[in-house]
Amino acid sequence: MNAEPIVRISNLHKWFGMLHVLRDISLSVQPREVVCVIGRSGSGKSTILRCINFLEEPSEGEIEIHGLKIPAGGRGREQSRLIHEARLRTGMVFQEFNLFPHMTVLENVIEGPITVKGMSRAKAIEIGEEKLDNVGMLFKKDEYPIRLSGGQKQRVAIARALTMEPEVMLFDEPTSALDPELIGEVLGVMKKLAKEGTTMLVVTHEMGFAREVADRVLVMADGEMIEDEKPDQLFNTPRDPRTKALIDRYRTGGQ
């Protein structure tokens, strides 16, 4: 791919006190590319996503979102402006759904475009209903979150992120809080987005999804990126023994 990356991370480090949780991470995500990040719990996977949109402040390095460069450690008004702009360019879907319980599905979805982007309510509703339809949740637009299943809540959360019209979607283990029978409906929506060309960076423990949908799979261990390969290469002939152990656990049902 010759296009400029949508996401470029350069020499990223993150400390929590004395704990060095990200160690010199560099990666890029191209337009329309789906990149999955796998690894054991505590390996630093989710921290990468949270650094991209500055929910966590990187300790060292640089985050770039489609040409917008944000160095770690900046302060002041200009840094705040850059972070705000970066967040407008990224859509984040969390493990927990974080829907407002006092708002209907549609109200949840249009809140961001209206309050953050200054979009007219009519335009936000138009886009919001389109995105709800895209994830199969338009029929629930007037319901409140309490009346939705976990899978339905997560699909609304995906629609909410899409309504902001981001350049890249960040998924932080979006199925980990779901009952097993509900995981498939969320993965189905994500597969559909991938086929439509949505740029996605996905932290997941769903190895089958990573193998089927990803263009590349990154493996994290102890705060380091130990592999970056196409799925078939990674799952069939992993180079690092830690990757092999991770895949073997998945194949024996231990994942």
Side-chain angles (χ1 to χ4, degrees):
M1 300 181 186
N2 297 320
E4 279 296 304
I6 294 290
V7 176
R8 194 198 312 264
I9 298 173
S10 304
N11 308 114
L12 178 66
H13 291 263
K14 176 63 182 177
W15 282 270
F16 290 114
M18 298 294 290
L19 190 62
H20 197 180
V21 295
L22 293 179
R23 301 169 182 264
D24 199 25
I25 301 296
S26 294
L27 68 89
S28 62
V29 182
Q30 298 289 338
R32 305 175 68 86
E33 191 176 30
V34 178
V35 177
C36 285
V37 185
I38 64 174
R40 302 181 80 160
S41 295
S43 60
K45 308 183 301 295
S46 295
T47 306
I48 291 176
L49 293 193
R50 295 178 68 84
C51 284
I52 288 173
N53 62 10
F54 285 78
L55 291 174
E56 296 289 353
E57 181 77 30
S59 302
E60 291 181 19
E62 183 178 76
I63 306 292
E64 183 177 341
I65 310 293
H66 209 181
L68 181 79
K69 297 181 180 181
I70 314 172
R75 293 289 181 268
R77 184 174 298 174
E78 177 61 11
Q79 184 79 351
S80 296
R81 185 192 70 79
L82 291 172
I83 291 171
H84 176 73
E85 182 64 29
R87 288 173 177 165
L88 290 177
R89 298 183 184 193
T90 59
M92 185 87 167
V93 178
F94 300 89
Q95 297 176 35
E96 299 293 341
F97 325 115
N98 298 331
L99 300 178
F100 294 114
H102 63 288
M103 292 182 175
T104 66
V105 162
L106 183 60
E107 288 169 341
N108 266 280
V109 165
I110 67 175
E111 176 72 8
I114 291 172
T115 60
V116 178
K117 296 180 78 172
M119 190 180 292
S120 72
R121 183 176 177 83
K123 182 64 174 176
I125 288 173
E126 178 187 336
I127 297 172
E129 288 185 344
E130 174 194 332
K131 302 306 182 186
L132 284 170
D133 191 38
N134 205 24
V135 302
M137 287 300 295
L138 184 58
F139 75 112
K140 293 283 191 180
K141 69 175 185 176
D142 296 322
E143 296 281 9
Y144 287 87
I146 196 170
R147 296 179 61 85
L148 305 181
S149 70
Q152 289 174 332
K153 289 176 184 175
Q154 192 62 294
R155 285 152 64 195
V156 171
I158 293 171
R160 176 179 58 187
L162 289 170
T163 302
M164 293 293 287
E165 301 181 307
E167 297 185 39
V168 58
M169 287 285 288
L170 309 175
F171 292 87
D172 185 8
E173 298 200 20
T175 61
S176 64
L178 300 178
D179 293 332
E181 66 271 17
L182 301 176
I183 289 172
E185 66 183 74
V186 173
L187 293 181
V189 166
M190 294 171 66
K191 289 175 186 177
K192 181 170 180 276
L193 293 176
K195 286 180 181 177
E196 292 170 351
T198 305
T199 307
M200 298 163 62
L201 183 58
V202 184
V203 168
T204 185
H205 58 272
E206 298 289 340
M207 298 284 192
F209 173 84
R211 183 164 194 168
E212 178 186 349
V213 179
D215 296 297
R216 288 160 46 219
V217 180
L218 314 180
V219 184
M220 292 288 297
D222 304 314
E224 297 179 317
M225 193 168 294
I226 60 172
E227 303 220 34
D228 178 351
E229 295 286 357
K230 291 188 177 297
D232 284 349
Q233 172 80 23
L234 184 93
F235 284 97
N236 291 329
T237 54
R239 293 195 315 270
D240 193 290
R242 290 168 291 181
T243 304
K244 185 177 186 306
L246 189 71
I247 293 169
D248 287 346
R249 278 215 326 279
Y250 158 65
R251 285 176 174 153
T252 58
Q255 182 70 10

